[in-house]
Amino acid sequence: TPTSVTVHPVALFSILDHYLRRGDNQPRVIGTLLGTRTDTEVEVKSAFAVLHSETSEQVAVDMDYHRGVYDLHHKINPKEVIVGWYSTGSNLNTYSALIQNFYTQETTPNPAIHIAINTGVEEGERAGVSAY
């Protein structure tokens, strides 16, 4: 299990850009984190958005889109692998666990990391980044 997670500014800006471009009916966005890992450290070098929809009854992630974008990225940066996923907002829910399970399959035998970014745009919330 990694004890340190480093997020490069380019990855952080990609996540924030994704959040700013989201649809009006999307409370949060999710995406894939790419980078390198050792036994003790994960270095997130880039990120890309993953299309998804969430309702109170279900969550749907476009896995074909995720795989296609990753394959293109991997051709350019073969040393970067999927290290986990990101979401915006500070609330973890049942769907977060389902998404974590999907990404854990993508990062096996290593656990997938989850970076939650609180954008601070909600009244009374502070901006911040948490890694799990």
Side-chain angles (χ1 to χ4, degrees):
T1 304
T3 57
S4 171
V5 176
T6 303
V7 182
H8 285 232
V10 170
L12 189 59
F13 290 137
S14 293
I15 296 166
L16 293 174
D17 181 61
H18 182 200
Y19 179 77
L20 290 173
R21 294 175 187 265
R22 77 193 187 288
D24 291 337
N25 60 345
Q26 272 189 299
R28 72 174 180 167
V29 296
I30 66 168
T32 300
L33 299 171
L34 301 165
T36 56
R37 73 185 318 142
T38 65
D39 289 340
T40 59
E41 182 181 12
V42 174
E43 188 174 2
V44 178
K45 296 182 178 182
S46 60
F48 64 85
V50 173
L51 304 174
H52 89 292
S53 63
E54 261 181 81
T55 65
S56 59
E57 293 88 31
Q58 69 177 2
V59 63
V61 177
D62 190 338
M63 294 179 203
D64 292 334
Y65 177 84
H66 158 78
R67 179 56 51 199
V69 173
Y70 174 68
D71 289 344
L72 288 173
H73 185 87
H74 193 67
K75 287 179 183 179
I76 297 166
N77 295 312
K79 292 181 180 177
E80 289 186 16
V81 297
I82 297 171
V83 294
W85 66 290
Y86 69 82
S87 66
T88 57
S90 57
N91 59 336
L92 297 176
N93 57 29
T94 306
Y95 299 145
S96 299
L98 293 172
I99 297 167
Q100 178 70 22
N101 287 342
F102 166 72
Y103 276 97
T104 297
Q105 293 172 2
E106 297 288 306
T107 62
T108 299
N110 299 305
I113 64 163
H114 173 212
I115 293 181
I117 302 200
N118 190 342
T119 58
V121 297
E122 299 289 327
E123 184 87 20
E125 289 189 13
R126 296 184 67 202
V129 178
S130 300
Y132 303 97

